[in-house]
Amino acid sequence: MRERIPFNWPHMTGKELYYIAEAHHNGSLAGDGPFTKRCQEWFEAKTRCNKALLTHSCTAALEMAALLLDINPGDEIIMPSYTFVSTANAFVLRGGVPVFVDVRADTLNIDEQLIEAAITPRSRAIVVVHYAGVACDMDTIMEVARRHGLKVVEDAAQGVMSTYKDRALGSIGDLGAYSFHETKNVISGEGGALLVNDADFVQRAEIIREKGTDRSRFFRGQVDKYTWQEVGSSFLPGEIIAAFLWAQLEEAKAITEGRLASWDWYHRALAPLEAKGALRRPIVPQDCGHNAHMYYVLLASEIERNAVLSELSQHDIGAVFHYIPLHSAPAGRRYGRVSGSMEITDSLSSRLVRLPLWAGLSEDRQARVVDVLSKACRV
Ligand SMILES: *Cc1c(COP(=O)(O)O)cnc(C)c1O
């Protein structure tokens, strides 16, 4: 029988249970124990952010960002429509209004040239999404933001271990958010982190994450009791999650290299199909060091994309598409608005197919995917 090739295979390093046993043995299971500290210090050293704080998801880190930026009802947040719902939802929870801007045809990232036209007196922040772990044009975006007094949040959910001009994604804007969801590169099932780059936000970030209290300062002996300081919630993961994540961080370089090997293999194997005009492969600009989060192809039309997806599915290959652009989703229409045309977003999202990819995906399996894809394209 033909073996099914899943879309994703969560990569395990082998040490996860060992570290979980250690956390169990330590008897320290709540948040901010030794494993959480180790993970946070790893991110601080690796990304040079001011402060890294583990959260229970990237969604939670984005919600913290909205609280830190004091988003009030009616405040506008400029962002792409071609993204996961959490990018917008975190700000809508505070009454913010997402203002959707079209993406670039090459990277599928927010088009930095269209941001200025979306700015109004109500604009507060720009939220960029580094799609597929390939960086947005951060120099231009930071310059526009500074000129207009706007904050920048990087939704770097897909960008762990990626760089822009040798700087870690998530460490360039005022705040950055990572995801360790099972489908990402470095995982803990559910999990995330907030990178605080602007030092002025560090103290409030700790308070917001600890139910609005100064408990972190209390634990460091900086105050003699902890009290309710401001609006917050519980955004910290327990030690079991942090222990799992630590096993992954130790192998983050190897995981990234493994994914890059499979990414490069697809890229070479699909070059002839691109040359024949059957599909378009991902484009990675010069300044971007990417982490092989995703391998996708763009077909000529939605009809062709759907035919290719159905062919792959019939051959037991777990290929998927995404995203339904937020501006066209029911909640996106209710809570947000568009700035300018969404032509590229609408076109790309209807023509995209993501191929199976994980660290250790065998060449045999990749060859099967490319073979079915080639036949489905009928060129
Ligand atoms: C995965 C993802 C998220 C959500 O991450 P969670 O950790 O599942 O909350 C947010 N934004 C983008 C762009 C993502 O890819």
Side-chain angles (χ1 to χ4, degrees):
M1 220 191 76
R2 185 172 58 201
E3 171 218 33
R4 182 176 161 74
I5 304 177
F7 170 64
N8 180 50
W9 186 267
H11 178 83
M12 306 289 175
T13 70
K15 277 201 162 177
E16 288 83 359
L17 292 179
Y18 173 79
Y19 289 135
I20 287 173
E22 192 178 321
H24 176 266
H25 176 78
N26 289 344
S28 161
L29 297 178
D32 281 342
F35 280 108
T36 300
K37 291 208 172 70
R38 247 189 252 179
C39 292
Q40 291 182 170
E41 282 164 12
W42 189 93
F43 281 113
E44 284 157 13
K46 186 94 200 155
T47 70
R48 302 181 181 283
C49 68
N50 229 299
K51 184 81 201 160
L53 294 167
L54 293 195
T55 57
H56 44 244
S57 62
C58 178
T59 303
L62 291 166
E63 288 174 15
M64 282 184 68
L67 282 162
L68 277 167
L69 298 185
D70 275 322
I71 298 304
N72 287 305
D75 288 348
E76 295 179 353
I77 325 292
I78 294 165
M79 63 179 69
S81 167
Y82 187 66
T83 181
F84 187 65
V85 294
S86 296
T87 315
N89 213 4
F91 294 87
V92 170
L93 266 175
R94 313 306 312 159
V97 178
V99 175
F100 301 116
V101 168
D102 212 355
V103 290
R104 285 165 50 149
D106 58 353
T107 56
L108 287 61
N109 282 332
I110 191 167
D111 188 336
E112 66 282 356
Q113 301 302 329
L114 302 176
I115 291 175
E116 206 143 19
I119 297 174
T120 76
R122 302 235 52 180
S123 303
R124 293 293 315 285
I126 304 167
V127 183
V128 300
V129 179
H130 303 297
Y131 183 69
V134 175
C136 299
D137 180 348
M138 290 308 289
D139 280 351
T140 305
I141 291 164
M142 293 308 291
E143 190 275 317
V144 170
R146 294 301 177 241
R147 196 148 35 81
H148 291 272
L150 305 179
K151 295 293 184 190
V152 173
V153 178
E154 295 177 75
D155 180 340
Q158 304 174 8
V160 177
M161 302 293 282
S162 286
T163 57
Y164 169 76
K165 297 189 176 176
D166 295 325
R167 296 170 72 189
L169 299 193
S171 75
I172 302 164
D174 298 283
L175 298 162
Y178 281 160
S179 174
F180 314 125
H181 183 264
E182 174 184 287
T183 53
K184 302 301 200 293
N185 293 21
V186 169
I187 61 174
S188 60
E190 302 283 348
L194 178 71
L195 303 194
V196 185
N197 303 315
D198 180 341
D200 291 346
F201 283 130
V202 172
Q203 190 166 317
R204 279 187 62 228
E206 287 183 339
I207 289 171
I208 286 167
R209 179 167 164 274
E210 267 283 21
K211 300 91 181 166
T213 73
D214 53 355
R215 191 170 174 174
S216 301
R217 261 181 290 168
F218 173 70
F219 281 147
R220 289 195 293 263
Q222 293 163 329
V223 288
D224 61 2
K225 58 182 178 305
Y226 72 88
T227 53
W228 186 19
Q229 300 283 323
E230 67 166 290
V231 174
S233 189
S234 180
F235 288 114
L236 68 171
E239 274 287 282
I240 302 265
I241 291 282
F244 192 111
L245 182 63
W246 179 247
Q248 295 265 318
L249 293 182
E250 281 189 329
E251 296 293 321
K253 192 161 172 276
I255 293 170
T256 309
E257 282 164 2
R259 295 185 75 104
L260 280 165
S262 296
W263 196 100
D264 291 341
W265 198 96
Y266 274 137
H267 210 57
R268 276 193 304 273
L270 292 170
L273 279 182
E274 184 177 73
K276 281 188 227 159
L279 51 75
R280 203 202 88 186
R281 300 176 301 158
I283 296 169
V284 179
Q286 194 96 79
D287 292 331
C288 304
H290 79 108
N291 62 356
H293 173 61
M294 197 190 295
Y295 200 91
Y296 65 84
V297 294
L298 290 162
L299 283 311
S301 68
E302 184 167 10
I303 292 171
E304 193 164 328
R305 189 273 302 272
N306 294 345
V308 164
L309 271 178
S310 136
E311 197 73 15
L312 287 164
S313 160
Q314 277 165 33
H315 286 82
D316 291 321
I317 294 167
V320 299
F321 72 96
H322 76 174
Y323 299 104
I324 304 299
L326 299 184
H327 74 273
S328 58
R333 286 205 296 265
R334 194 174 324 136
Y335 297 115
R337 65 173 175 83
V338 299
S339 168
S341 152
M342 289 289 126
E343 197 183 328
I344 296 174
T345 297
D346 286 330
S347 165
L348 295 174
S349 70
S350 70
R351 297 188 287 116
L352 185 132
V353 173
R354 298 175 65 183
L355 303 181
L357 178 66
W358 61 83
L361 172 61
S362 68
E363 290 185 6
D364 284 359
R365 286 163 165 163
Q366 290 196 272
R368 231 179 89 197
V369 173
V370 169
D371 184 48
V372 174
L373 186 59
S374 311
K375 286 178 182 137
C377 285
R378 280 181 264 279
V379 190

Coordinates of all heavy atoms in Angstrom, one line a residue, residues 55-62 82-87 128-131 155-158 177-184 189-193 293-294 322-323 354, ligand 1:
T55 N 5.3 32.8 26.4 CA 3.9 33.0 26.5 C 3.2 31.6 26.2 O 4.0 30.7 25.7 CB 3.3 34.0 25.6 OG1 3.7 33.7 24.3 CG2 3.9 35.4 25.9
H56 N 1.9 31.5 26.3 CA 1.4 30.2 25.9 C 1.0 30.0 24.4 O 0.7 29.0 24.0 CB 0.2 29.7 26.8 CG -0.8 30.8 27.1 ND1 -1.0 31.3 28.4 CD2 -1.6 31.5 26.3 CE1 -1.9 32.2 28.3 NE2 -2.3 32.4 27.1
S57 N 1.2 31.1 23.7 CA 1.1 31.1 22.2 C 1.6 32.4 21.6 O 1.8 33.3 22.4 CB -0.4 30.9 21.9 OG -1.2 32.0 22.3
C58 N 1.7 32.4 20.3 CA 2.0 33.6 19.6 C 0.8 34.6 19.7 O 0.9 35.8 19.9 CB 2.3 33.4 18.2 SG 2.7 34.8 17.2
T59 N -0.4 34.0 19.7 CA -1.6 34.8 19.9 C -1.6 35.5 21.2 O -1.8 36.8 21.2 CB -2.9 33.8 19.9 OG1 -2.9 33.1 18.7 CG2 -4.1 34.6 20.0
A60 N -1.1 34.9 22.3 CA -1.0 35.5 23.6 C 0.0 36.6 23.5 O -0.2 37.7 24.1 CB -0.6 34.5 24.6
A61 N 1.1 36.4 22.8 CA 2.2 37.4 22.7 C 1.6 38.7 22.0 O 1.9 39.8 22.4 CB 3.4 36.9 22.0
L62 N 0.8 38.4 21.0 CA 0.2 39.5 20.2 C -0.8 40.3 21.1 O -0.9 41.5 21.0 CB -0.4 39.0 18.9 CG 0.6 38.5 17.9 CD1 -0.2 37.8 16.8 CD2 1.4 39.7 17.3
Y82 N -3.4 39.2 4.2 CA -3.0 37.9 4.0 C -2.2 37.4 5.2 O -0.9 37.4 5.2 CB -2.1 37.8 2.7 CG -1.8 36.4 2.3 CD1 -2.8 35.5 1.9 CD2 -0.5 35.9 2.4 CE1 -2.5 34.2 1.6 CE2 -0.2 34.6 2.0 CZ -1.2 33.8 1.6 OH -0.9 32.5 1.3
T83 N -2.9 36.9 6.2 CA -2.2 36.4 7.4 C -3.2 35.6 8.2 O -4.4 35.5 7.9 CB -1.7 37.6 8.3 OG1 -1.1 37.1 9.5 CG2 -2.8 38.5 8.7
F84 N -2.7 35.0 9.3 CA -3.5 34.2 10.3 C -4.3 35.2 11.1 O -3.9 36.3 11.3 CB -2.5 33.4 11.2 CG -3.3 32.4 12.0 CD1 -3.9 31.4 11.5 CD2 -3.2 32.6 13.4 CE1 -4.6 30.5 12.3 CE2 -3.9 31.7 14.2 CZ -4.6 30.6 13.7
V85 N -5.5 34.7 11.5 CA -6.4 35.6 12.2 C -5.9 36.3 13.5 O -6.3 37.4 13.8 CB -7.7 34.8 12.7 CG1 -8.5 34.3 11.5 CG2 -7.4 33.6 13.6
S86 N -4.9 35.6 14.2 CA -4.5 36.2 15.4 C -3.8 37.6 15.3 O -3.8 38.4 16.2 CB -3.5 35.3 16.1 OG -4.1 34.1 16.4
T87 N -3.2 37.8 14.1 CA -2.6 39.1 13.8 C -3.6 40.2 14.1 O -3.2 41.3 14.7 CB -2.0 39.2 12.4 OG1 -1.4 37.9 12.0 CG2 -1.1 40.3 12.1
V128 N 3.6 43.9 11.1 CA 4.1 43.2 9.9 C 4.1 41.7 10.2 O 4.3 41.3 11.3 CB 5.5 43.7 9.5 CG1 5.5 45.2 9.2 CG2 6.6 43.3 10.6
V129 N 4.0 40.9 9.1 CA 4.0 39.5 9.2 C 5.1 39.0 8.3 O 5.1 39.3 7.1 CB 2.7 38.8 8.8 CG1 2.7 37.3 8.9 CG2 1.5 39.4 9.7
H130 N 6.1 38.2 8.8 CA 7.2 37.7 8.0 C 6.7 36.4 7.4 O 6.9 35.3 8.0 CB 8.4 37.6 8.8 CG 8.9 38.8 9.5 ND1 9.3 39.9 8.7 CD2 9.0 39.2 10.8 CE1 9.6 40.9 9.6 NE2 9.5 40.5 10.8
Y131 N 6.0 36.4 6.3 CA 5.4 35.2 5.7 C 6.5 34.2 5.4 O 7.5 34.5 4.7 CB 4.6 35.6 4.5 CG 3.8 34.4 3.9 CD1 2.8 33.8 4.6 CD2 4.2 33.9 2.7 CE1 2.1 32.7 4.1 CE2 3.5 32.8 2.1 CZ 2.5 32.2 2.8 OH 1.9 31.2 2.3
D155 N 4.9 40.2 13.8 CA 4.3 38.9 13.9 C 5.3 38.0 13.3 O 5.3 37.7 12.0 CB 2.9 38.8 13.3 CG 2.3 37.4 13.4 OD1 3.1 36.5 13.7 OD2 1.1 37.3 13.3
A156 N 6.3 37.5 14.1 CA 7.3 36.6 13.6 C 7.0 35.2 14.0 O 7.9 34.4 14.2 CB 8.7 37.1 14.2
A157 N 5.7 34.8 14.0 CA 5.3 33.5 14.3 C 6.0 32.4 13.5 O 6.4 31.4 14.0 CB 3.8 33.3 14.1
Q158 N 6.3 32.8 12.2 CA 6.9 31.8 11.3 C 8.4 32.1 11.2 O 9.1 31.4 10.4 CB 6.3 31.9 10.0 CG 4.8 31.7 10.0 CD 4.1 31.9 8.7 OE1 4.7 32.1 7.7 NE2 2.7 31.9 8.7
A177 N 6.7 38.8 18.1 CA 6.0 37.6 18.6 C 6.4 36.3 17.9 O 6.4 36.3 16.6 CB 4.5 37.8 18.5
Y178 N 6.7 35.3 18.6 CA 7.1 34.0 18.1 C 6.0 33.0 18.4 O 5.3 33.1 19.4 CB 8.4 33.5 18.7 CG 9.7 34.1 18.2 CD1 10.9 34.0 18.9 CD2 9.8 34.7 16.9 CE1 12.1 34.5 18.5 CE2 11.0 35.2 16.4 CZ 12.1 35.1 17.2 OH 13.3 35.6 16.8
S179 N 6.0 31.9 17.6 CA 5.0 30.8 17.8 C 5.8 29.5 17.9 O 6.7 29.3 17.1 CB 4.0 30.7 16.8 OG 3.2 29.5 17.0
F180 N 5.5 28.6 18.8 CA 6.0 27.3 18.9 C 4.9 26.3 18.8 O 5.0 25.2 19.3 CB 6.8 27.1 20.3 CG 7.7 28.2 20.6 CD1 7.6 28.9 21.8 CD2 8.6 28.7 19.7 CE1 8.4 30.0 22.1 CE2 9.4 29.8 20.0 CZ 9.3 30.4 21.2
H181 N 3.9 26.6 18.0 CA 2.8 25.7 17.7 C 3.4 24.5 17.0 O 4.4 24.6 16.2 CB 1.8 26.4 16.8 CG 0.6 25.6 16.5 ND1 0.5 24.9 15.3 CD2 -0.6 25.4 17.2 CE1 -0.7 24.3 15.3 NE2 -1.3 24.5 16.4
E182 N 2.7 23.4 17.1 CA 3.2 22.1 16.5 C 3.6 22.3 15.0 O 4.4 21.5 14.5 CB 2.1 21.1 16.7 CG 2.3 19.8 16.0 CD 1.1 18.9 16.2 OE1 0.9 18.4 17.3 OE2 0.3 18.7 15.2
T183 N 2.9 23.2 14.3 CA 3.2 23.3 12.8 C 4.3 24.2 12.5 O 4.7 24.4 11.4 CB 1.9 23.8 12.1 OG1 1.5 25.0 12.8 CG2 0.8 22.8 12.1
K184 N 4.9 24.8 13.5 CA 6.1 25.7 13.3 C 7.4 25.0 13.3 O 7.4 23.7 13.4 CB 6.0 26.9 14.3 CG 4.7 27.7 14.3 CD 4.4 28.3 12.9 CE 3.4 29.5 13.0 NZ 2.0 29.2 13.3
G189 N 4.2 22.2 21.1 CA 2.7 21.9 21.1 C 2.0 23.2 20.8 O 1.7 23.5 19.7
E190 N 1.7 23.8 21.9 CA 1.3 25.2 21.9 C 2.4 26.0 22.6 O 3.0 25.5 23.5 CB -0.1 25.4 22.6 CG -1.2 24.6 22.1 CD -1.9 25.2 20.9 OE1 -1.6 26.3 20.5 OE2 -2.7 24.4 20.3
G191 N 2.6 27.2 22.2 CA 3.6 28.0 22.9 C 4.0 29.2 22.1 O 3.8 29.3 20.9
G192 N 4.6 30.2 22.7 CA 5.0 31.4 22.0 C 6.0 32.2 22.9 O 6.3 31.8 24.0
A193 N 6.4 33.3 22.4 CA 7.2 34.3 23.1 C 7.0 35.7 22.6 O 6.7 35.9 21.4 CB 8.7 33.9 23.0
H293 N 10.6 27.8 6.7 CA 9.3 27.4 7.4 C 8.3 26.8 6.5 O 7.6 25.9 6.9 CB 8.7 28.7 8.1 CG 7.3 28.4 8.6 ND1 7.2 27.4 9.6 CD2 6.1 28.8 8.3 CE1 5.9 27.3 9.9 NE2 5.2 28.1 9.1
M294 N 8.3 27.2 5.2 CA 7.3 26.7 4.3 C 7.8 26.6 2.9 O 8.6 27.4 2.5 CB 6.2 27.9 4.3 CG 4.9 27.5 3.8 SD 3.9 29.0 3.6 CE 3.6 29.6 5.3
H322 N -3.9 28.2 2.1 CA -4.2 29.2 3.1 C -3.9 30.6 2.5 O -3.2 30.6 1.5 CB -3.5 29.0 4.4 CG -2.1 29.4 4.5 ND1 -1.3 29.4 5.6 CD2 -1.3 29.8 3.5 CE1 -0.1 29.8 5.3 NE2 0.0 30.0 4.0
Y323 N -4.2 31.7 3.0 CA -5.2 32.0 4.0 C -6.4 32.6 3.3 O -6.2 33.2 2.2 CB -4.7 33.2 4.9 CG -3.4 32.9 5.7 CD1 -2.3 33.5 5.3 CD2 -3.5 32.1 6.9 CE1 -1.1 33.3 6.1 CE2 -2.3 31.9 7.6 CZ -1.1 32.5 7.2 OH 0.0 32.3 7.9
R354 N 0.7 24.8 -0.4 CA 1.8 24.5 0.4 C 2.1 23.0 0.4 O 1.2 22.2 0.5 CB 1.5 24.8 1.9 CG 1.2 26.3 2.1 CD 0.7 26.5 3.6 NE 1.8 26.2 4.5 CZ 1.7 26.3 5.8 NH1 0.5 26.6 6.4 NH2 2.7 26.1 6.6
Ligands
LIG1 C1 0.9 30.4 13.6 C2 0.7 31.8 13.5 C3 0.1 32.6 14.5 C4 -0.5 32.0 15.8 O1 0.4 31.3 16.6 P1 -0.1 30.5 17.8 O2 1.2 30.2 18.6 O3 -0.8 29.3 17.3 O4 -1.0 31.4 18.6 C5 0.0 34.0 14.4 N1 0.4 34.6 13.2 C6 1.0 33.9 12.2 C7 1.5 34.6 11.0 C8 1.1 32.5 12.3 O5 1.7 31.8 11.3

